[in-house]
Amino acid sequence: KDFRISTSVLGYTVAAAGTSFPNVFSGMCVARQGKTTMAVANALGANVQNVFLALAIPWAIQCTINRGSFELPFTGLLSAVVEIYVTLLPAVVVFTLSNHQFPRWSGYMFLVIYACYLAVALTQDTLHCPSWPFFCSATQTDMTVGTS
C-alpha cells in the first residue's frame, strides 16, 4: 500500500516468484545431474502440494471452528479455470509432440506464455473484471474503473 501497488499485483509477481524460485533452483540442480524426470516431478508436485495445503489447512480450520461446512462466495472461477487450461495446454502439446521432452526453445515459449498470463491477470485486476477477456459488462467496468 505504501508504494500504491495492489495486493493482486504483488501476488502475481513478487509472491509468485518468491515461492517458485526454490523449485527453479532445485529443478536446475537435478536436471544438470541428468535427473530430468525428478526436475519435472518437483516442479509439478511442489505446485500441486502448495495449492492443496494452502486450500486444505484453512478450510479444515474453518470447518472445525464452524463445526461443519461453511459457505464460500466466489466469482470469476470459470475464467480462472479456463486460464489454467490455456496456459497448461502448450506444455502438454510441446511435451507430446517433442518425443516426451522439452526442447530448449520451449523455455522461451513458457516465458512468453507467463508474460501473456501476467498481462491478462493485471488487466483483469485493473478493470475489476475477473472474466476479462471473455466477457465483461460495460457497467461493471465503468463503475469500478472510476473508483480506483
Side-chain angles (χ1 to χ4, degrees):
K1 211 172 189 179
D2 292 337
F3 296 105
R4 296 186 180 155
I5 301 172
S6 76
T7 55
S8 297
V9 171
L10 290 174
Y12 292 131
T13 56
V14 178
T19 59
S20 296
F21 277 138
N23 295 333
V24 170
F25 290 124
S26 65
M28 287 172 39
C29 290
V30 295
R32 287 188 178 173
Q33 295 172 2
K35 301 175 183 174
T36 54
T37 305
M38 184 184 288
V40 172
N42 177 39
L44 297 177
N47 288 318
V48 169
Q49 180 184 10
N50 288 341
V51 168
F52 284 128
L53 287 177
L55 292 175
I57 292 173
W59 284 350
I61 292 170
Q62 188 67 30
C63 286
T64 302
I65 292 170
N66 288 345
R67 298 187 193 279
S69 63
F70 62 97
E71 197 169 318
L72 182 67
F74 63 88
T75 58
L77 187 61
L78 179 62
S79 60
V81 170
V82 169
E83 290 167 7
I84 289 169
Y85 279 108
V86 166
T87 56
L88 181 62
L89 185 63
V92 173
V93 169
V94 168
F95 186 73
T96 303
L97 296 179
S98 298
N99 199 23
H100 300 108
Q101 297 178 358
F102 286 114
R104 184 176 300 270
W105 57 265
S106 66
Y108 299 109
M109 182 189 73
F110 295 140
L111 288 174
V112 169
I113 291 170
Y114 177 70
C116 292
Y117 166 75
L118 195 58
V120 168
L122 293 176
T123 303
Q124 289 171 339
D125 186 57
T126 302
L127 296 177
H128 302 283
C129 180
S131 56
W132 185 90
F134 304 114
F135 58 89
C136 190
S137 67
T139 56
Q140 178 186 8
T141 304
D142 292 340
M143 289 187 320
T144 55
V145 171
T147 60
S148 40

